[in-house]
Amino acid sequence: MWNTTDPEESFRNKVIWWSAIIVGAAIIGVGAYFRFRSPPAPPQQPASPPSAAQQQAAPLTPAAPPAPVIQHPVPAQSATAAPAKLPALDSSDPTVLDALTKLVGQPAVARLLVPKAIIRHIVVTVDNLPRSKVAADLRPVKPTPGQAAVDQQGGTTLLSRSNYARYTPFVKVIGAMNMKSLAALYFRLYPLFQQAYRSLGYPHGYFNDRLVQAIDSLLATPQVQQPITLVQGKVFWQFADPKLEALPAGQKLLLRMGPQNATVIENKLRQLRRLITHPPGASP
């Protein structure tokens, strides 16, 4: 750094600085010949900042965003399974139907499952469960039979306990399901789940992490005093309590099932969560 307290020294340094700039301009003007024939250049002086024109001509390339960190990796052989071992995503329904039939039986599959675009519908529904709405036409299971049962008490509409029975067939199938076998099937088909998830618009997303988020959201469903008060919405019944109506779609579904059914589902979800977050052979 220049010593600005000595006027004579400061003047000498300024002379050297401007001389260096003039010499640099002369070198640029002479061109290639001068560069090859000139004697070795003196030690370089600090470079001046680039001009505005130079900055526009050579804009800085923004750094690429860091790759998202995978929180819950699946076993390596599941994440990198050779495509030849699995059907194409859009041709995977027969494989999935056969596997689920072995897992829960043909009657349950025929009664509950929508046998079309199964993996895509599972992925869409899982992604929607922590959100405010689930796309009804993209659910992997058939609609719950019957209409919502309500009781009238004075001028108040209550969710009837008899409504919970509508979900009994579904809950019985889930309650009897072997979660280890389900997790093994999920890992085997995981590349298809991952492909379907990225096709939703998450090119860097990781479906197993989203599944864990959906499970955690369901397990956070609040305990609500029974019976639940309802109000008539534009089409369907809604929870009268604005806080309940603002809950994620998956949590509201568990509330509509009733406490006993919800307990069965939550216990199975805890088992599944342990299996998909601490699987044997998972990569760190």
Side-chain angles (χ1 to χ4, degrees):
M1 180 179 292
W2 289 336
N3 183 1
T4 56
T5 59
D6 186 341
E8 182 177 354
E9 180 67 18
S10 176
F11 176 78
R12 284 198 301 269
N13 285 329
K14 288 181 180 179
V15 169
I16 294 172
W17 173 250
W18 284 109
S19 299
I21 293 177
I22 294 171
V23 170
I27 292 173
I28 294 173
V30 171
Y33 174 81
F34 187 85
R35 285 200 304 271
F36 285 105
R37 298 294 299 272
S38 60
Q44 293 182 347
Q45 298 292 330
S48 59
S51 66
Q54 290 173 327
Q55 292 178 351
Q56 291 178 358
L60 294 176
T61 302
V69 177
I70 297 174
Q71 297 178 343
H72 304 289
V74 301
Q77 64 271 21
S78 300
T80 61
K85 296 181 180 179
L86 292 174
L89 175 60
D90 292 331
S91 304
S92 62
D93 286 337
T95 299
V96 179
L97 283 170
D98 180 67
L100 290 177
T101 298
K102 294 176 181 177
L103 185 63
V104 299
Q106 195 278 332
V109 170
R111 184 172 65 250
L112 300 176
L113 192 67
V114 177
K116 180 181 179 181
I118 301 170
I119 286 182
R120 288 191 184 276
H121 288 175
I122 291 173
V123 168
V124 170
T125 299
V126 167
D127 186 50
N128 286 344
L129 284 173
R131 305 184 191 276
S132 60
K133 293 182 180 180
V134 173
D137 57 337
L138 297 179
R139 292 177 183 174
V141 296
K142 296 177 180 178
T144 307
Q147 299 295 322
V150 298
D151 295 328
Q152 298 295 333
Q153 192 175 82
T156 303
T157 302
L158 305 174
L159 182 63
S160 176
R161 294 181 183 275
S162 63
N163 183 72
Y164 306 152
R166 299 170 56 218
Y167 299 92
T168 299
F170 173 78
V171 174
K172 282 186 175 180
V173 172
I174 299 300
M177 188 176 294
N178 185 313
M179 290 291 108
K180 288 185 178 180
S181 298
L182 179 63
L185 174 61
Y186 169 66
F187 289 145
R188 179 164 69 87
L189 299 176
Y190 186 77
L192 301 181
F193 284 101
Q194 179 67 7
Q195 180 184 347
Y197 184 58
R198 292 195 170 183
S199 71
L200 293 182
Y202 306 111
H204 303 293
Y206 192 68
F207 178 68
N208 199 52
D209 286 349
R210 186 56 174 168
L211 177 57
V212 173
Q213 292 171 2
I215 292 174
D216 288 344
S217 176
L218 290 169
L219 294 178
T221 303
Q223 299 293 322
V224 178
Q225 184 177 0
Q226 303 291 324
I228 300 175
T229 305
L230 304 177
V231 294
Q232 180 65 58
K234 293 182 179 180
V235 179
F236 304 106
W237 292 106
Q238 298 179 350
F239 296 122
D241 186 342
K243 293 181 180 179
L244 296 184
E245 187 58 31
L247 291 175
Q251 294 186 13
K252 290 194 288 186
L253 175 60
L254 286 183
L255 292 178
R256 290 195 295 271
M257 288 185 178
Q260 292 183 345
N261 287 335
T263 297
V264 173
I265 299 298
E266 289 169 354
N267 287 338
K268 288 295 183 177
L269 288 174
R270 290 188 183 94
Q271 293 178 31
L272 182 61
R273 191 189 191 283
R274 285 194 295 269
L275 290 166
I276 65 174
T277 56
H278 300 88
S283 301

